[in-house]
Amino acid sequence: MKNKTDFLPREGEAQPSRCPDNSAFKQQRLPAWKPQLTIASVLSSFFLTGAFCLAVGISLVLAANSVREIQVAYSDKCSDCSKLRENSSNWNKECHCSINFTLKEDILGDVFMYYGLQNFYQNHRRYVMSRSDAQLLGRNVNIQRSYCAPFSTYRNGTPMAPCGAIANSMFNDTIDLFYNRNSSVIPVPLLRTGNSWWTDKNVKFRNPESYNLSSAFAGTARPPYWQKPVYLLDEEDERNNGYVNDDFIIWMRVSAFATFRNLYRRLRRVRHFADGLPAGNYTFQISYNFPVTSFKGRKHVILSTVVWSGGSNPFLGIAYLVAGTAATLAGFVITGIHLKLRKKKTYFQKQ
């Protein structure tokens, strides 16, 4: 058995050096770029950054202001339906309301219809986690082991499809648009599909494999707040049913803020609407199903165009303007400090 003295260097032996090897890497002699900051380079970087940010910010703000948008709130205008929906026992009763509005000018180009919600918090941790991504991919999984509870199975053990709080609270108002022209009512053609992202439609959401959807979802039941099963979400287009339904996919993309809007429909540019929405009188026909009074929420419909920078959201442009202004002001402050110090240096040199 060795003792401690066996590990100590013997008398006359050289002790091992703890210095790093004499190499360029370990001695930190590798070639490096060491910028020599001068007053000219510093000021030019500040002013160039400020000019770039200001130019981009002005472009973004002007683009956002050029978006044509009309917003119609209908929570109060459909108050009778709202009172009906607050009673959960009336979930299977239909309630419709109409809202008239006027477009004073044509809305040319592609027109998008959004539904907006206020005071609806989708960013709660338990709400965000209440889903089964494996189920949404069409896999046969045991959802009782997922985070869907309490919206996973019914008391008799029947699994919900889709499961989770996000799917159960899906926005289910039906909104139709009509154009009143010369005492005739013309339905505005709206597109139900093509509104979701390609990655969502082809990667994140898939239906179970079967010869038809009704058999694919056999043995499952709709979520408690739904009025129809998942394979009948779109009765006009069989390909827009199940987990790949556009409205369902868009709703499952939760918002970070309590006030948000989701894309609902796109204008189909045909016949009277080939160039967009002409000026005139319009009517929203709304089938009111989504209750908001209990959490003091608000609902509205938005008709909007888009530009190269997106929709009517000036936040990014304002952020660029603030950054550009700050960089420009910093450049002027540094210039003032430099001139003041240079005058002092010149004065002392003369003395």
Side-chain angles (χ1 to χ4, degrees):
M1 182 176 180
K2 296 182 179 181
N3 51 32
K4 296 181 179 180
T5 57
D6 295 334
F7 297 97
L8 298 175
R10 297 179 181 179
E11 188 176 348
E13 293 183 355
Q15 296 184 2
S17 175
R18 301 183 65 181
C19 295
D21 296 337
N22 188 20
S23 62
F25 177 75
K26 292 188 177 181
Q27 294 297 332
Q28 299 183 8
R29 294 195 301 266
L30 290 175
W33 178 61
K34 299 178 181 179
Q36 300 295 327
L37 297 178
T38 62
I39 188 63
S41 62
V42 172
L43 289 179
S44 62
S45 63
F46 271 97
F47 285 119
L48 288 176
T49 302
F52 172 78
C53 290
L54 288 175
V56 174
I58 292 173
S59 301
L60 290 173
V61 170
L62 292 176
N65 291 335
S66 67
V67 173
R68 293 293 310 281
E69 180 176 298
I70 179 171
Q71 181 171 313
V72 178
Y74 66 94
S75 300
D76 296 334
K77 296 180 180 180
C78 299
S79 57
D80 293 338
C81 292
S82 178
K83 294 178 182 178
L84 180 70
R85 285 287 169 245
E86 290 308 312
N87 189 347
S88 58
S89 61
N90 298 325
W91 66 271
N92 59 345
K93 295 181 180 180
E94 294 185 358
C95 188
H96 302 273
C97 61
S98 301
I99 301 175
N100 300 319
F101 66 97
T102 302
L103 288 182
K104 297 181 179 180
E105 298 179 358
D106 297 343
I107 300 181
L108 303 177
D110 295 328
V111 182
F112 299 83
M113 179 188 292
Y114 301 84
Y115 63 85
L117 292 176
Q118 294 181 0
N119 207 37
F120 189 94
Y121 289 86
Q122 288 189 312
N123 55 4
H124 192 281
R125 180 174 176 272
R126 292 190 61 185
Y127 182 87
V128 173
M129 295 178 60
S130 185
R131 60 188 293 165
S132 174
D133 291 321
Q135 184 195 46
L136 298 176
L137 284 171
R139 300 172 184 172
N140 187 13
V141 295
N142 183 7
I143 60 174
Q144 291 183 343
R145 297 181 180 179
S146 65
Y147 294 100
C148 288
F151 301 104
S152 55
T153 59
Y154 286 93
R155 293 182 179 179
N156 59 2
T158 304
M160 299 180 189
C163 70
I166 306 176
N168 183 59
S169 61
M170 177 180 169
F171 183 85
N172 58 350
D173 283 0
T174 302
I175 306 171
D176 295 314
L177 182 60
F178 295 91
Y179 176 42
N180 305 318
R181 182 190 181 193
N182 299 330
S183 69
S184 61
V185 178
I186 303 174
V188 178
L190 301 173
L191 296 173
R192 294 171 173 263
T193 58
N195 302 325
S196 59
W197 296 346
W198 185 92
T199 52
D200 288 342
K201 194 84 170 182
N202 297 275
V203 178
K204 295 183 178 181
F205 295 85
R206 295 177 184 173
N207 284 326
E209 295 183 359
S210 182
Y211 62 92
N212 60 33
L213 279 182
S214 60
S215 61
F217 289 98
T220 64
R222 57 174 176 78
Y225 291 168
W226 283 30
Q227 296 177 333
K228 57 180 70 175
V230 66
Y231 54 87
L232 292 178
L233 290 178
D234 190 348
E235 298 179 358
E236 299 179 3
D237 188 353
E238 295 181 356
R239 298 170 298 177
N240 191 34
N241 275 315
Y243 298 146
V244 296
N245 176 267
D246 277 52
D247 293 338
F248 174 71
I249 291 175
I250 292 173
W251 178 259
M252 294 298 291
R253 192 188 311 134
V254 296
S255 173
F257 301 99
T259 299
F260 61 93
R261 63 175 64 178
N262 285 336
L263 181 60
Y264 183 67
R265 296 288 184 265
R266 291 181 297 123
L267 175 67
R268 185 181 179 188
R269 297 173 62 179
V270 295
R271 293 174 300 186
H272 304 289
F273 312 99
D275 297 327
L277 290 179
N281 298 321
Y282 289 84
T283 301
F284 279 126
Q285 292 283 353
I286 300 173
S287 177
Y288 198 105
N289 299 306
F290 194 83
V292 295
T293 306
S294 59
F295 55 88
K296 298 180 181 180
R298 308 276 298 176
K299 295 190 292 186
H300 45 271
V301 190
I302 305 105
L303 295 174
S304 176
T305 60
V306 295
V307 291
W308 61 270
S309 61
S312 178
N313 188 355
F315 174 79
L316 186 59
I318 294 174
Y320 267 100
L321 290 177
V322 172
T325 303
T328 305
L329 290 177
F332 282 115
V333 170
I334 295 174
T335 302
I337 295 174
H338 170 68
L339 294 176
K340 186 176 182 180
L341 293 178
R342 189 173 65 175
K343 289 181 179 179
K344 287 186 176 180
K345 184 177 180 181
T346 305
Y347 173 77
F348 285 114
Q349 287 177 350
K350 291 181 179 180
Q351 295 295 325

